[in-house]
Amino acid sequence: MLVQKFGGTSVGSPERMKSVSSLITRGDYSGNIVVLSAMSGTTNTLVEICKYLQGGNPDGACEVIGYLEMKYAAHVEALYSTDKYKQAAKAVLSDIFNELRSITKAVFTPKEEKIILSKGELMSTNMVTFYLMEQGVNVCLLDALSFMRIDMNGEPDLWYISQRIGEVLASAPKADLYITQGFICRNAVGEVDNLKRGGSDYTASLLGAAMKADEIQIWTDIDGMHNNDPRYVENTGCVPHLYFEEASELAYFGAKILHPTCIQPAKFTNVPVRLLNTMDPEAPGTVIDNVKDHGTIKAVAAKDNITAIKITSGRMLLAYGFLRKVFEIFESHQTSIDMISTSEVCVSMSIDDTTYLPQIENDLRKYGTVQVDRNMCIICVVGDMDWENKGFEGRVMDAFKDIPVRMVCYGGSSYNISFLIRQEDKQKALVSLQKSLF
C-alpha cells in the first residue's frame, strides 16, 4: 500500500487534475491513499479573504469569494464531460462558498480563520474524487478532519491518527483508491486547525507512518533532490538515495522539495519516502530511508541571503555564561541561528531573518565589538561526514582554495559540513565542488 501526495501545482488546473488522476490509477493502485493539497493560488485567496475580515470589511471578503467561486465554476465546466458529475461537483462547491459567505456575517476570530483556510483542500479533493468516479474508478473520499489531530502543543497525535484512520477505513465503503486532504486537521478540543510545518507532506508522512505503508511518495513539479542547482552548475543529476538525516540537512539548507519536520514520522516508523516528479513520472526519483551509504558524499545545497554577525570581547576569555547571554539576545528577538563558530574571544553566527537585526546589534554591543557582514551564502555539503572518515575534508576544502571563506561549521552533525561565503562567490563555489566531489 502506498501513500501518495500531490501538491497545489499538481492539481492547479483541470488539465493537471486529469494528469494526476492518470498517475494515481496506473498499475496496481488497490488500497492506496492519495493526499491532495488545495489548487495552486486558492490558499492565497483564502488568506486574502481572512485579511478583509480581520480589517472589518466583510463586503471586500464577499467580493473575493465571488471571484473565487467564478474561477471554480469554470474549472468544473472544463473538468467533467457529463452533467451528473458537473452537478455533483457544483453542489459541493456551492455549499462551501455559501459557508464562506456565512462566516463573513459572524464575529471573526482565529477559529473562523482556520475554517476558511481548510476549504481549499476540501474543494480540490471533492473535484478529483468526482472526476475519478466519472472515469469509472472505485474511489472513496476520506475526510481528514475525522482522523487527523494535533495535541495541546500543536504536535500531531500519531497514536490517535493511527487508531482513527483504521476505524475510518473500516467504516468507509470498500474502494480501490482513497482520496483525502492534506494540511488540515482538528486540534485537541476538536476545532478545525492545520499542520502548519510541511503541510500536505506532513499529512502524507503521518498517514504512511500510521498505516505502515510500503512507501510514501511525495510528487512534485520540482525535479528531485539535485546534487547542485542547474541554474548555476551544468550536468547536475537527481540523487538516487538519501539517509533520513541527510535529507533533513538538505531540506534545511536550501532544497525546496521537503520540509525537515515532515519526514520524522516516516523515519521513526522505518517507512521509506520517495520523491517523484510529475513532469517525468517514469523517473525513479529519490528514495529516503534509514539505510546509510558509508563514506559517500551525496549532494550540495546553497542557502542565500545570509547575514553573519561576529562579536569580539575580552570578557569571553576563561569566562562562563557569556554565550548564554548572547543566545538570549537572539531568543528575545525570535531570531534563529544557522551556523555558529567560536574562539577564545570571538563568536560568529549566521542568520537568515534580519527583521530584528538593528535591535540585535544594539543588544550585542553591551558585551563586545560587533561586526556584521551581509549578502552572504551558506554552502552545505551533505553525506557521511563522520569524523573518523578520512580524506573527505581535504576534497571539500580543496574546492574552496580560491574562494574567501567567512566561516566553516563541522562537527555539529555527522552529515554535513557548511561554509559561509560571499553570495557573489556562490556559482564559483558550486562549480568547484561539482568538479572536486562528483
Side-chain angles (χ1 to χ4, degrees), residues 80-109:
Y80 306 102
S81 57
T82 61
D83 285 339
K84 175 182 177 181
Y85 291 102
K86 280 185 182 180
Q87 295 307 316
K90 285 179 179 179
V92 171
L93 294 175
S94 178
D95 288 343
I96 290 173
F97 283 109
N98 286 338
E99 184 180 356
L100 288 174
R101 290 189 177 90
S102 70
I103 293 174
T104 66
K105 301 174 184 178
V107 176
F108 187 73
T109 70

Side-chain angles (χ1 to χ4, degrees), residues 31-331:
N32 289 354
I33 299 177
V34 178
V35 177
L36 300 179
S37 299
M39 291 182 69
S40 56
T42 297
T43 300
N44 289 339
T45 304
L46 295 173
V47 169
E48 184 181 359
I49 292 168
C50 292
K51 288 181 178 178
Y52 275 111
L53 294 176
Q54 287 169 345
N57 185 359
D59 291 338
C62 285
E63 187 172 346
V64 176
I65 292 170
Y67 287 138
L68 188 62
E69 187 172 25
M70 286 190 293
K71 179 180 177 180
Y72 271 84
H75 289 328
V76 168
E77 292 297 326
L79 184 59
Y80 306 102
S81 57
T82 61
D83 285 339
K84 175 182 177 181
Y85 291 102
K86 280 185 182 180
Q87 295 307 316
K90 285 179 179 179
V92 171
L93 294 175
S94 178
D95 288 343
I96 290 173
F97 283 109
N98 286 338
E99 184 180 356
L100 288 174
R101 290 189 177 90
S102 70
I103 293 174
T104 66
K105 301 174 184 178
V107 176
F108 187 73
T109 70
K111 177 180 177 180
E112 281 70 34
E113 180 179 11
K114 299 288 179 60
I115 293 173
I116 290 173
L117 295 180
S118 72
K119 299 308 179 184
E121 281 75 15
L122 293 172
M123 289 191 285
S124 64
T125 50
N126 272 281
M127 291 175 68
V128 171
T129 299
F130 285 130
Y131 177 75
L132 288 166
M133 289 178 176
E134 187 178 57
Q135 303 308 304
V137 178
N138 181 16
V139 60
C140 177
L141 178 61
L142 304 177
D143 182 7
L145 297 177
S146 67
F147 57 83
M148 293 300 298
R149 188 173 78 172
I150 54 177
D151 59 24
M152 294 297 293
N153 297 316
E155 296 298 327
D157 187 340
L158 187 57
W159 182 87
Y160 176 89
I161 295 167
S162 300
Q163 295 296 312
R164 281 295 298 154
I165 186 60
E167 295 170 2
V168 168
L169 285 170
S171 61
K174 184 64 176 177
D176 296 325
L177 184 67
Y178 298 92
I179 307 290
T180 194
Q181 301 86 22
F183 178 63
I184 65 176
C185 64
R186 291 193 184 276
N187 58 30
V189 296
E191 297 172 342
V192 175
D193 213 312
N194 58 67
L195 294 172
K196 301 175 183 70
R197 298 163 300 176
S200 297
D201 291 346
Y202 209 176
T203 301
S205 183
L206 289 164
L207 272 178
M211 297 295 296
K212 302 294 190 296
D214 296 316
E215 187 173 270
I216 299 164
Q217 296 182 349
I218 306 296
W219 287 82
T220 177
D221 294 337
I222 303 173
D223 190 12
M225 285 278 195
H226 279 82
N227 60 1
N228 277 306
D229 191 330
R231 294 174 299 169
Y232 296 93
V233 183
E234 295 180 353
N235 301 317
T236 62
C238 185
V239 180
H241 176 255
L242 289 168
Y243 181 55
F244 275 118
E245 299 294 343
E246 295 168 343
S248 294
E249 297 287 357
L250 278 176
Y252 182 74
F253 280 98
K256 304 298 184 183
I257 213 166
L258 204 60
H259 192 284
T261 305
C262 79
I263 58 175
Q264 293 301 316
K267 173 187 174 182
F268 296 147
T269 53
N270 203 31
V271 177
V273 177
R274 186 181 297 269
L275 309 181
L276 293 161
N277 181 14
T278 56
M279 307 306 291
D280 186 11
E282 301 305 322
T286 300
V287 176
I288 305 170
D289 57 25
N290 279 317
V291 178
K292 295 182 182 180
D293 295 318
H294 294 287
T296 303
I297 295 176
K298 295 291 186 64
V300 174
K303 190 173 185 179
D304 296 330
N305 303 314
I306 300 298
T307 297
I309 304 170
K310 181 170 74 172
I311 176 170
T312 304
S313 174
R315 285 182 282 175
M316 281 184 64
L317 189 63
L318 301 178
Y320 57 86
F322 185 86
L323 286 178
R324 175 181 58 79
K325 295 174 184 178
V326 170
F327 293 150
E328 283 177 346
I329 290 172
F330 288 88
E331 180 184 7

Side-chain angles (χ1 to χ4, degrees), residues 252 303-307 335-338 350-354:
Y252 182 74
K303 190 173 185 179
D304 296 330
N305 303 314
I306 300 298
T307 297
T335 302
S336 61
I337 297 171
D338 289 320
S350 71
I351 61 174
D352 62 1
D353 181 0
T354 58

